[in-house]
Structures are given as C-alpha cells and as structure tokens.
Amino acid sequence: MSHIQIAIDGPSGAGKSSLSKAVAKAMGIIYVDTGALYRTVGYFARSRGITLDDMSALVPLLGEITIEVRYENEVQCVYLNGENLGDRIRENEISMYASGVSAIPEVRAFLLDTQKDIANKNSVIMDGRDIGTVILPNADVKIFLTASNEVRARRRVKELAEKGMPVSYEEVLADMIQRDEQDRSRDIAPAIAAPDAIHFDNSYEGFDEALNALLSVIQNALQKESRS
Ligand code: DC
C-alpha cells in the first residue's frame, strides 16, 4: 500500500503543530514539523554571529551543516551536527532567524531532500509553509490552516510560557505579523495556499472540537480521493 501524505500549511500559531500531532496519533502516522528544520538552520546562523540584516552570509557556511531527523518515543528530534537542540530552537529570536533563512533559495534546496525522504518512507502529516505547493504537490489531502491574528498570538504566548520562555503578547503579535508578511511575500516558495488546498479556519476555543472537525475534513477528503 502506498503511503498517505497530508500537507498542512498556514501561518504561525494557527495550530498546525498541535493539531497535526493529534491527527498523526489518531491515524497512526508520523508528524513532520518542517519549521523545526528552518529553525535549526536559523539557530546555526545565529551561533555563527550572522545578523538578521545579512542572512546571505550563511550561504557559504551551509556545507558545515548536517541535519538529521530522528523519531524518539514518537517525538521528532532534529540533530544539528550530531546535537539534539531540543526546545532551544523555539526561542522567540530563533523564530525571526528561521524566517530569515527560509527566504534563501540555497537553504530551501538544502532542506528539500530531508523532507521528501521522510514522506517517501512513511505515511505522514507534514506541516510548514510550502508543503502543499512545493514539497508534496501530490499530497492526498492539503489543508490551509488559519486563525485570526489575535487568536494566533495568544496561542504562541501560551505555548512559549509553557516552555518556560515568557514573552509579552504585544511582542509576539508584532513579530508574528512581521514574520508572516516576510514569509508570504518572499520570492521563493511564498507561504500561500496551494490552489487545491482545503481552507480550515481554526479559531475554535476548544481543542477537541477543532481536532474532530479537522479529522472529519481529512477523512472525507481521503474517501473522496479513494473513490476517484
Ligand atoms: O512553523 P514555524 O513557525 O516553526 O516556522 C519557522 C519559520 O520557518 C517560519 O517563519 C517560516 C519558515 N518555514 C518555511 O519557510 N517553510 C516551511 N516549510 C516551514 C517553515
């Protein structure tokens, strides 16, 4: 049987990762967080003293990076040159670095095979910004997940606080708006919905409600596909 591919795109804080993780668990497939790969490259850039206004200085250093994705107790771990960075890639400043490196064509090309490889070997739900458009253009189901700016910023604040990285709502909201605009308007793989993506507004308050609604959208789409 061929592998299932579910692509989830959308801006930060729309709930992509928490919903995708839960869908993966419910369907017995693997959750792939591609933002973690860009965050890892962003972490490397910062560690080399590269500044946000001169991200292209990273290009000649890409040969020094080895990235490996491993699943440990069903959790995705990203290793940078043999080291598992864990939650260090979640820092607010690293979000800006990730957005910066993700606009560099050489970085996107560098991370392409890693993403495709995982999807070729496993049934996946993969989230990011260009999954339905570039990485898995033939995915069985494509979802574009959105929510209002306020709901998204509140989610990010909560998520960071839970990870012991408190940031103010105002700072998160301002950074998020800037980062989304940067991601959407870049020349390469802009963060936009694939023409055949199903739009799903996740402004739900209750997680279970959102999860059940998303699961039924996915299951309906898979059934429709198997009939066609
Ligand atoms: O999903 P995230 O917030 O962890 O992603 C971090 C940054 O990486 C985000 O600003 C956009 C970028 N990104 C991307 O360009 N393409 C992806 N497939 C995933 C993330």
Side-chain angles (χ1 to χ4, degrees), residues 28-219:
I29 60 178
I30 285 183
Y31 164 55
V32 188
D33 166 8
T34 63
L37 304 176
Y38 291 92
R39 287 173 177 274
T40 301
V41 175
Y43 183 94
F44 175 87
R46 187 181 67 173
S47 75
R48 287 309 181 87
I50 290 170
T51 53
L52 286 167
D53 58 2
D54 184 26
M55 295 305 286
S56 57
L58 172 67
V59 175
L61 305 182
L62 283 175
E64 295 177 29
I65 305 181
T66 304
I67 287 188
E68 205 189 327
V69 179
R70 291 189 215 155
Y71 285 84
E72 297 172 3
N73 299 321
E74 292 174 26
V75 174
Q76 173 183 314
C77 301
V78 183
Y79 284 76
L80 169 64
N81 294 335
E83 187 188 4
N84 181 359
L85 296 177
D87 275 347
R88 277 178 279 169
I89 58 169
R90 301 290 156 197
E91 237 184 82
N92 206 38
E93 195 188 20
I94 295 297
S95 301
M96 276 301 179
Y97 269 91
S99 179
V101 301
S102 72
I104 303 174
E106 288 85 348
V107 170
R108 303 202 77 86
F110 175 72
L111 295 175
L112 192 78
D113 288 347
T114 306
Q115 297 170 80
K116 288 199 179 230
D117 254 22
I118 302 174
N120 283 336
K121 293 184 183 138
N122 307 277
S123 281
V124 295
I125 177 162
M126 185 177 274
D127 81 2
R129 304 297 190 286
D130 63 341
I131 310 305
T133 50
V134 178
I135 306 293
L136 305 177
N138 300 317
D140 301 285
V141 188
K142 298 179 185 178
I143 306 281
F144 195 78
L145 207 64
T146 50
S148 70
N149 286 348
E150 291 67 28
V151 167
R152 295 193 294 120
R154 256 190 277 130
R155 281 201 189 115
R156 289 280 304 158
V157 169
K158 188 163 169 258
E159 200 180 298
L160 286 170
E162 282 166 3
K163 291 196 157 91
M165 304 173 194
V167 200
S168 76
Y169 171 82
E170 289 72 25
E171 188 185 342
V172 166
L173 181 66
D175 281 4
M176 207 185 68
I177 291 172
Q178 185 192 337
R179 195 151 68 91
D180 289 345
E181 183 46 34
Q182 217 163 274
D183 296 341
R184 238 190 336 255
S185 58
R186 66 187 174 211
D187 293 333
I188 180 153
I192 51 170
D196 51 347
I198 301 168
H199 289 250
F200 185 92
D201 182 349
N202 178 25
S203 295
Y204 291 88
E205 282 299 331
F207 181 76
D208 289 347
E209 199 188 345
L211 174 60
N212 289 333
L214 183 60
L215 272 172
S216 73
V217 166
I218 290 174
Q219 264 139 13

